[in-house]
Amino acid sequence: MPIATPDVYAEMLDRAKANAFAYPAINVTSSQTLNAALRGFAEAGSDGILQVSTGGAEYLSGSTVKNMVLGAEALAEFAHHVAKAYPVQIALHTDHCPADKLDTYMRPLVAISRERVKAGRDPLFQSHMWDGSAVPLEENLKLAEELLADCKAANIVLEVEIGVVGGEEDGVVGAIDEKLYTTPEDMWRTAEVLGTGDKGRYMLAATFGNVHGVYKPGNVKLRPTILRDGQQYVAAKLGLGADAKPFNLVFHGGSGSELSEIREALDYGVVKMNVDTDAQYAFTRPVADHMFKNYDGVLKIDGEVGVKKSYDPRTWGKAAEANMAKRVAQACEDLRSAGQAL
């Protein structure tokens, strides 16, 4: 199928919340990792989200070019073509854009989509993330309100973050302290400024102890009930029923999380969960295995010629793709999206 249209993406998100499942959002940094993610979604029978961070986009443009917009645009155009070969719906998303990169990453990409929409086409990306976690809440929401209007004009969903995700990703470091836990009052303030869909669709990354990076199971202290309490607090303020979930929530920093905590978060309205670290390892592990096992063939040792089939990138690349696809399919099972494709 082609990349999801705005209407299809909206349906995907609505179905996820209504049925208590979430889509894995897989960070990709190459055509090969993109193909691996597509394969994993297809094998799981799950729709899904592919996303590109600022660092990933810069890398995609070439290590000497370092043009985030060029890299993200190129991979998105590639995805619009290759996704047609898979029987699942795929949305494209950009991940974690901080304030100092809005003018060199997110805003230009939104402008590209606005031009496409004016010409009667679908947007290039289906959603973008504004990461305002490093600025005060009111400044965060003021910028989010401006970006939401721009995204609405381009038929794009905005993702915002309220609170801080600990650990490190793409050079952005979040301290591990009480700011990891979003308050109900912060969630209500978000609804006051951004509305609950009337000003444009958005997803909310409310933090509940999330930490980026690599941690052993049990080391990340999540409190999913924060999501429940925030949803209930805002629902009460809006005069909605006790079971209402006003927000489409996003789960960041999931590596090392217990499956029970992940599933609990789904019950509280999480519709998207970022999967980066685990997918990176799944891709790289078979490559390391191949290099160790085929050392003499990969390297031209002592003037020999090596073994071309050993150092052909397609040889170890196929193993990397297969293993990453397997990890993506596992994420679909964990998030209950397996078998839920539209």
Side-chain angles (χ1 to χ4, degrees), residues 266-302:
L266 303 183
D267 293 337
Y268 302 146
V270 167
V271 299
K272 172 180 178 280
M273 176 174 162
N274 291 10
V275 181
D276 184 15
T277 303
D278 288 352
Q280 288 179 338
Y281 182 76
F283 185 84
T284 302
R285 181 64 182 83
V287 180
D289 185 64
H290 175 83
M291 299 305 170
F292 282 126
K293 289 181 177 177
N294 298 278
Y295 185 82
D296 292 345
V298 171
L299 300 179
K300 297 181 179 181
I301 298 172
D302 296 331

Side-chain angles (χ1 to χ4, degrees), residues 157-274:
V157 177
L158 177 67
E159 180 182 330
V160 298
E161 183 169 37
I162 304 299
V164 176
V165 176
E168 186 272 336
E169 182 174 62
D170 271 2
V172 178
V173 180
I176 299 177
D177 55 28
E178 277 304 306
K179 291 182 180 179
L180 299 183
Y181 305 99
T182 302
T183 67
E185 290 78 15
D186 288 344
M187 292 176 72
W188 169 239
R189 183 59 184 149
T190 301
E192 283 187 307
V193 176
L194 303 184
T196 53
D198 47 303
K199 295 184 179 182
R201 290 190 69 115
Y202 67 94
M203 296 179 282
L204 174 63
T207 54
F208 54 105
N210 319 58
V211 179
H212 287 134
V214 185
Y215 297 87
K216 292 181 179 180
N219 281 19
V220 177
K221 306 301 182 186
L222 294 177
R223 285 158 42 189
T225 52
I226 283 177
L227 303 181
R228 177 201 65 197
D229 295 345
Q231 292 273 43
Q232 290 179 347
Y233 185 84
V234 174
K237 286 279 192 178
L238 295 172
L240 304 175
D243 295 331
K245 300 180 182 72
F247 294 112
N248 287 334
L249 298 175
V250 180
F251 187 157
H252 286 249
S255 298
S257 303
E258 301 284 357
L259 181 59
S260 60
E261 294 173 328
I262 293 173
R263 294 276 175 84
E264 184 181 356
L266 303 183
D267 293 337
Y268 302 146
V270 167
V271 299
K272 172 180 178 280
M273 176 174 162
N274 291 10

Side-chain angles (χ1 to χ4, degrees), residues 42-114:
E43 290 178 353
S46 171
D47 299 321
I49 299 170
L50 301 178
Q51 59 187 25
V52 185
S53 67
T54 55
E58 182 178 272
Y59 176 77
L60 281 159
S61 73
S63 59
T64 59
V65 177
K66 297 184 177 181
N67 185 316
M68 293 181 289
V69 173
L70 180 64
E73 186 180 11
L75 192 73
E77 291 286 4
F78 178 78
H80 275 266
H81 288 286
V82 295
K84 298 172 186 176
Y86 294 86
V88 291
Q89 296 284 350
I90 299 296
L92 302 177
H93 176 80
T94 60
D95 192 24
H96 285 289
C97 183
D100 64 343
K101 294 180 179 176
L102 281 173
D103 290 338
T104 53
Y105 190 50
M106 182 176 164
R107 285 191 174 115
L109 289 172
V110 172
I112 289 171
S113 286
R114 288 190 70 167

